[in-house]
Amino acid sequence: AVISQSGIPKLYTVYFLTFLAFSLFYAGLPLYASSILEWSASDLGIFLSYSSIIMFIAQGPILSRLTEKYNNQKLIIAGSVLLGIAFLLLSYQNIIILYASMTILSLGNGIMWPSFMALLAKSGDKQMQGAIQGYGSSMGSFASMIGLLVGGLLFEQIQVTVFIISGAIFLLIGLLMILKAPKKKPTLIADYN
């Protein structure tokens, strides 16, 4: 079974939490922009376009240089921490801080997500990669559905605290990735040398 593959349960947990955190954000952002920041649709469009530009840069030249020096697990941890910080900063209603948070968020996402997908592709039995990726996508879709439904409701109740929850989820992801998988038992071959 896919879930019994080494390291897959932890990676599926990360997959689920990532989509959940982003869905909370995407559900709350338009409400935040219109009701609290009093932005127009074009203001929000500029904000999201800026994010796309930063992510393009992060996934291109920045990530290609980082992958030469660091493994996927370290990049996922670094990206998760950046995302956690970014979501915490989103609760401030200062335009400079908001754009700084979106810069950090886009960099974090541009580093974390491709590195995570690369790690997932290397995990488990090669013959089961199709199933591993398929179940992961299903898990992401399920998390998105929950996050979008809950995110809007939560924003009405706790407003920008929903972004703090998203930030905490990414810090949890970073912690999960720091926790190493149990080491395999050493073979007894060394005892005969």
Side-chain angles (χ1 to χ4, degrees):
V2 171
I3 204 75
S4 65
Q5 297 286 303
S6 177
I8 294 299
K10 180 170 87 168
L11 293 178
Y12 277 173
T13 302
V14 170
Y15 210 123
F16 181 88
L17 290 174
T18 299
F19 274 80
L20 179 65
F22 269 112
S23 296
L24 292 174
F25 163 68
Y26 284 121
L29 183 64
L31 299 170
Y32 180 43
S34 62
S35 64
I36 296 176
L37 300 175
E38 298 180 351
W39 283 3
S40 66
S42 59
D43 291 331
L44 181 57
I46 291 166
F47 190 64
L48 293 173
S49 297
Y50 171 76
S51 170
S52 298
I53 292 166
I54 300 299
M55 204 174 308
F56 174 78
I57 295 166
Q59 289 182 350
I62 293 175
L63 186 60
S64 63
R65 287 182 184 177
L66 289 174
T67 52
E68 293 172 4
K69 296 181 179 180
Y70 305 102
N71 65 30
N72 289 322
Q73 183 166 341
K74 287 180 180 175
L75 292 173
I76 295 166
I77 293 165
S80 298
V81 171
L82 288 174
L83 285 162
I85 293 167
F87 280 116
L88 296 175
L89 289 175
L90 269 176
S91 60
Y92 292 91
Q93 297 167 34
N94 176 291
I95 192 73
I96 295 170
I97 294 175
L98 286 170
Y99 269 88
S101 71
M102 190 51 83
T103 304
I104 297 167
L105 189 153
S106 302
L107 286 170
N109 190 28
I111 293 168
M112 182 264 191
W113 190 244
S115 302
F116 173 78
M117 292 306 289
L119 184 63
L120 186 65
K122 295 175 188 173
S123 300
D125 190 335
K126 288 183 180 179
Q127 295 176 337
M128 297 191 73
Q129 266 306 307
I132 290 169
Q133 298 291 337
Y135 280 113
S137 295
S138 298
M139 196 156 303
S141 298
F142 181 61
S144 294
M145 184 177 66
I146 293 170
L148 290 170
L149 286 170
V150 173
L153 296 170
L154 275 178
F155 190 85
E156 289 183 2
Q157 302 298 318
I158 58 175
Q159 296 191 333
V160 293
T161 307
V162 76
F163 301 137
I164 295 170
I165 293 169
S166 290
I169 291 171
F170 274 109
L171 294 176
L172 175 62
I173 289 170
L175 182 62
L176 280 172
M177 293 308 298
I178 288 170
L179 299 173
K180 297 198 184 277
K183 292 182 179 178
K184 293 179 182 177
K185 291 180 181 178
T187 58
L188 298 175
I189 295 172
D191 296 339
Y192 296 104
N193 292 337

